[in-house]
Amino acid sequence: MAKTRTRGLRRTYSRVVPGASGRVLVVDDNKVIRQLIKVNLELEGFEVVTANDGAECLDIVHRVCPDVITLDVVMPRLDGFGTAAQLRADPRTRHLPLAIVSACTQHEVESGIEAGVDAFLAKPFEPAELVRVVRRLVERKDRRERKGTTAGRGRG
């Protein structure tokens, strides 16, 4: 009967917030994971651009100008740590907040810290935790820019 349908499918997630909360570049070689992250962030008002691996991320990062980048660790062509290291080596992307979204073993956390990663989110993740991590990194970037550090853009 209707009783099974009264749970309100529309209330599962909050509605899309008008006006983007920030732009996120989601980098993962797994299409399902990319889509899962994208949908959850878009539902919270973020604009999301995706890349299939680290090499594609580096190809598009300057055109996309994201506020945050999420990186998987194990990807073809260029893994998450190599991508993070190259982003940190580039003055234009040096201060971009980076979050690893992966299994997050102790080795991955240690390697991520060495590569300059700002946050870690273990798979499988709770969508609410994903949103909290990304929102915190966007807010941190905004505070840094208001204090005069321009996230490395325009510096040479």
Side-chain angles (χ1 to χ4, degrees), residues 6-147:
T6 58
R7 299 183 108 193
L9 294 176
R10 294 180 187 160
R11 294 186 180 154
T12 306
Y13 286 98
S14 56
R15 295 181 206 145
V16 175
V17 178
S21 300
R23 182 176 295 152
V24 183
L25 176 53
V26 174
V27 186
D28 199 303
D29 63 320
N30 184 311
K31 183 179 181 179
V32 173
I33 299 294
R34 270 194 325 268
Q35 191 63 23
L36 177 68
I37 294 171
K38 179 178 176 164
V39 166
N40 280 286
L41 291 175
E42 286 179 341
L43 285 168
E44 295 298 326
F46 292 97
E47 180 183 346
V48 180
V49 179
T50 62
N52 296 316
D53 58 32
E56 185 178 0
C57 169
L58 295 175
D59 286 343
I60 67 171
V61 69
H62 299 296
R63 288 190 311 256
V64 172
C65 299
D67 295 302
V68 173
I69 299 175
T70 68
L71 296 165
D72 185 21
V73 172
V74 179
M75 297 182 287
R77 298 197 301 165
L78 185 59
D79 70 12
F81 301 132
T83 305
Q86 289 193 36
L87 290 165
R88 291 295 181 241
D90 184 336
R92 298 170 295 173
T93 57
R94 179 174 293 142
H95 297 291
L96 268 177
L98 305 176
I100 291 287
V101 181
S102 188
C104 292
T105 64
Q106 185 61 34
H107 172 72
E108 286 181 341
V109 171
E110 290 169 3
S111 298
I113 290 170
E114 288 176 24
V117 172
D118 300 293
F120 299 86
L121 184 62
K123 289 178 184 175
F125 57 85
E126 288 293 325
E129 183 62 19
L130 168 72
V131 172
R132 272 194 297 275
V133 167
V134 170
R135 189 168 281 136
R136 187 183 76 225
L137 291 173
V138 168
E139 289 169 358
R140 184 186 306 167
K141 178 181 178 277
D142 289 346
R143 280 193 307 270
R144 183 184 299 135
E145 287 179 350
R146 280 194 302 268
K147 288 181 180 178

